[in-house]
Amino acid sequence: AYFLFHLPDLTPLMDTLVCLNLSFNNLLFFPVEVFNIKSLQVLVLRNNPIRKIPNDIQRLKSLKKFTISFNLLSDLPSGLFLLENLQYLDIAYNGIRVIPNDIKNLRKLECLNTEGNQLSALPSGVLSLPLKYLRIENNFIHPLLWNEKMQNQPQKLTHLAALCFSRNNLKERYTDITEDIEKILDDFTVCDCCSGPRYGEGLRLIQIYRNVFKFGRLPFYFYACSSSCLRNF
């Protein structure tokens, strides 16, 4: 709360600093200098006009608690979900519409605060986390708001062809595959519904879970690899 626009020189503390609280300042950009503090376990950036978290946040390997509530974030970087020791994540009161399913990689995450964003549902990966504390109030999670979120665009023929190729193990039959086709076949994620390959975004649906994380009803996003997979699920 010193209305700082820039981080002061922390060089003398680089080897010893464990906790850094930069709340209630005027930091327009994420202070990238903190990435050099290898021992940092707690980083608090509450109430700053920060719009983006750099992907390099993955360099903070020792980070256990990260608070960046009351900022101007609209999305979260993939590097955030590579912090294997993260136990507490507070992203409350930003403008975040979607939390990537990569959050499932935070295997030690016990506390998650997503309050006051623009979420319609949580990613299915949250179901595999050891959460003891979850806040999701003041989001757009009411069923009346789901119709728009449930609408899917047609899948690309390239993605469907790649899925068919992969499901039928056609790599064993066709050995002379061009580099551009190989690149398409290798660019996939895991289907939330069948755990097989998913090419492109897939088809989105919202599934309600009851009495999970002490909530009566909680919606989760699932992404299916195909329309048949969606129906089966």
Side-chain angles (χ1 to χ4, degrees):
Y2 280 89
F3 305 101
L4 300 175
F5 285 92
H6 303 285
L7 197 64
D9 183 17
L10 298 176
T11 304
L13 303 173
M14 286 297 179
D15 296 328
T16 56
L17 195 62
V18 173
C19 178
L20 179 60
N21 189 343
L22 295 168
S23 299
F24 297 95
N25 282 294
N26 288 324
L27 298 173
L28 296 174
F29 301 98
F30 192 99
V32 295
E33 299 92 336
V34 303
F35 296 150
N36 296 319
I37 310 174
K38 303 301 182 184
S39 57
L40 194 64
Q41 295 183 24
V42 178
L43 177 59
V44 184
L45 289 163
R46 177 187 168 102
N47 282 87
N48 280 283
I50 296 173
R51 294 182 177 275
K52 195 171 186 64
I53 303 173
N55 203 46
D56 276 352
I57 193 170
Q58 61 185 290
R59 291 167 55 186
L60 296 176
K61 299 297 183 184
S62 300
L63 199 64
K64 294 181 179 180
K65 180 177 180 178
F66 181 40
T67 297
I68 191 164
S69 53
F70 295 92
N71 276 258
L72 301 174
L73 302 178
S74 57
D75 53 31
L76 300 172
S78 58
L80 177 63
F81 308 113
L82 296 175
L83 298 174
E84 297 179 352
N85 292 306
L86 198 64
Q87 300 174 9
Y88 182 102
L89 177 60
D90 185 352
I91 53 172
Y93 293 96
N94 281 279
I96 298 169
R97 296 177 182 272
V98 176
I99 297 177
N101 204 36
D102 286 345
I103 194 173
K104 64 185 178 182
N105 297 326
L106 301 179
R107 307 303 299 178
K108 294 184 179 180
L109 193 67
E110 296 183 349
C111 300
L112 175 63
N113 188 352
T114 67
E115 189 176 1
N117 279 283
Q118 300 179 29
L119 302 173
S120 301
L122 291 172
S124 60
V126 170
L127 289 167
S128 62
L129 296 177
L131 291 181
K132 298 178 180 177
Y133 175 90
L134 174 65
R135 294 290 298 270
I136 195 173
E137 294 84 355
N138 296 325
N139 277 282
F140 298 152
I141 61 172
H142 195 279
L144 291 175
L145 304 173
W146 291 347
N147 286 337
E148 179 184 347
K149 301 299 179 182
M150 291 285 281
Q151 295 177 2
N152 287 297
Q153 295 297 320
Q155 291 178 276
K156 291 185 177 181
L157 291 178
T158 305
H159 295 154
L160 292 175
L163 179 63
C164 180
F165 198 94
S166 178
R167 276 183 173 176
N168 292 284
N169 296 318
L170 294 182
K171 272 192 175 183
E172 298 177 1
R173 180 176 177 182
Y174 298 97
T175 56
D176 188 19
I177 301 175
T178 60
E179 186 177 341
D180 55 336
I181 298 298
E182 190 77 47
K183 186 176 181 180
I184 293 174
L185 293 173
D186 291 340
D187 185 19
F188 65 88
T189 53
V190 177
C191 176
D192 296 335
C193 300
C194 71
S195 299
R198 187 183 82 229
Y199 293 89
E201 184 178 280
L203 300 172
R204 180 176 58 244
L205 73 149
I206 293 178
Q207 186 83 359
I208 297 295
Y209 278 71
R210 300 180 185 276
N211 302 320
V212 61
F213 301 128
K214 299 181 181 179
F215 283 83
R217 300 171 74 246
L218 204 57
F220 291 88
Y221 275 126
F222 287 81
Y223 289 84
C225 59
S226 64
S227 55
S228 60
C229 179
L230 183 69
R231 288 193 299 272
N232 291 336
F233 185 76

